[in-house]
Amino acid sequence: WEAVLRLSGAVAGGGAPFDSFEGCVTMGEGRLSAWLDKAVRTMKRGEASAFTVLPAAREGEALLSVRREGGPSAEGLPAEAVLEYEVELRELREVQMLCDGLLLQKTLVRAPKGPGSWELPGERAEVRCSWRGEVEATGFVFRGEAPFRYSRADASLLRVWRELKMKRGEVAELKVAPELAYGSGGEPELGVPP
């Protein structure tokens, strides 16, 4: 899961804020301190909560909540300090690694529930979607957002379309390895480099 957070931390009793963060982190990746990772897992999207962090809860970890270069410093704060944090979970996105890590699928909008929804399209289903293609390294857009219709059984289809795990109504961001798309040769007609 990927969490979009806003947080600020201060020493309990009215100390000046020494820690703040606004941005996106991947849960379980090790950037969040253990106590914050546990705290965020108790929260719901859109929730803002206050946490009191005792020294024992930090289990010898650094005082900062999110490990990052160029961020604030906890230098000068006593290790036994009790900390107060305000944390807002702005967004929570499901992130899946598929095809042995060749496809990263980040769900931006989850599928609606209710009548007319289903899990995944079947093998012979005709799928209608809209997609846009961009080369990550350069930002070059090789395909503007356009509708696309395909059958999952079509043998000429790029492998990425058969491997997706999306449901009706979902919106996702994909990072696709060449093996699932145009291969090591790229697609010169579209401007996709090798």
Side-chain angles (χ1 to χ4, degrees):
W1 290 90
E2 187 176 82
V4 178
L5 302 171
R6 184 203 59 77
L7 63 85
S8 65
V11 174
F18 72 91
D19 189 6
S20 64
F21 177 78
E22 189 167 342
C24 185
V25 293
T26 301
M27 302 298 292
E29 185 180 64
R31 278 190 65 208
L32 292 182
S33 58
W35 68 263
L36 181 58
D37 191 273
K38 289 175 190 170
V40 169
R41 290 174 191 273
T42 69
M43 297 175 69
K44 295 181 179 170
R45 179 181 294 141
E47 181 179 342
S49 295
F51 295 97
T52 299
V53 186
L54 302 174
R58 294 195 303 269
E59 301 167 354
E61 287 188 298
L63 292 172
L64 295 180
S65 56
V66 182
R67 292 171 189 87
R68 57 203 183 272
E69 289 189 30
S73 169
E75 192 174 307
L77 291 177
E80 67 277 359
V82 174
L83 308 178
E84 292 178 340
Y85 271 87
E86 291 181 12
V87 180
E88 179 185 355
L89 178 58
R90 291 186 168 171
E91 204 168 320
L92 192 60
R93 303 176 186 138
E94 183 179 12
V95 178
Q96 299 179 68
M97 290 297 285
L98 306 170
C99 301
D100 297 322
L102 297 175
L103 174 60
L104 181 132
Q105 178 177 314
K106 182 189 310 180
T107 302
L108 304 176
V109 176
R110 295 189 63 131
K113 295 184 179 182
S117 65
W118 58 78
E119 284 300 306
L120 297 171
E123 190 59 37
R124 301 213 177 273
E126 180 176 277
V127 178
R128 287 179 289 162
C129 66
S130 180
W131 73 281
R132 168 183 184 276
E134 180 179 315
V135 177
E136 184 178 30
T138 63
F140 172 70
V141 176
F142 63 87
R143 177 188 164 103
E145 190 159 326
F148 180 57
R149 177 181 277 184
Y150 67 93
S151 166
R152 293 188 71 214
D154 182 354
S156 66
L157 195 63
L158 290 175
R159 185 174 160 205
V160 65
W161 298 113
R162 289 191 295 276
E163 300 294 345
L164 282 177
K165 304 291 184 213
M166 292 181 68
K167 301 170 191 165
R168 176 186 226 176
E170 282 187 337
V171 176
E173 178 182 293
L174 309 173
K175 289 190 180 181
V176 183
E179 296 91 327
L180 296 182
Y182 298 108
S184 59
E187 180 54 64
E189 287 183 27
L190 293 174
V192 178

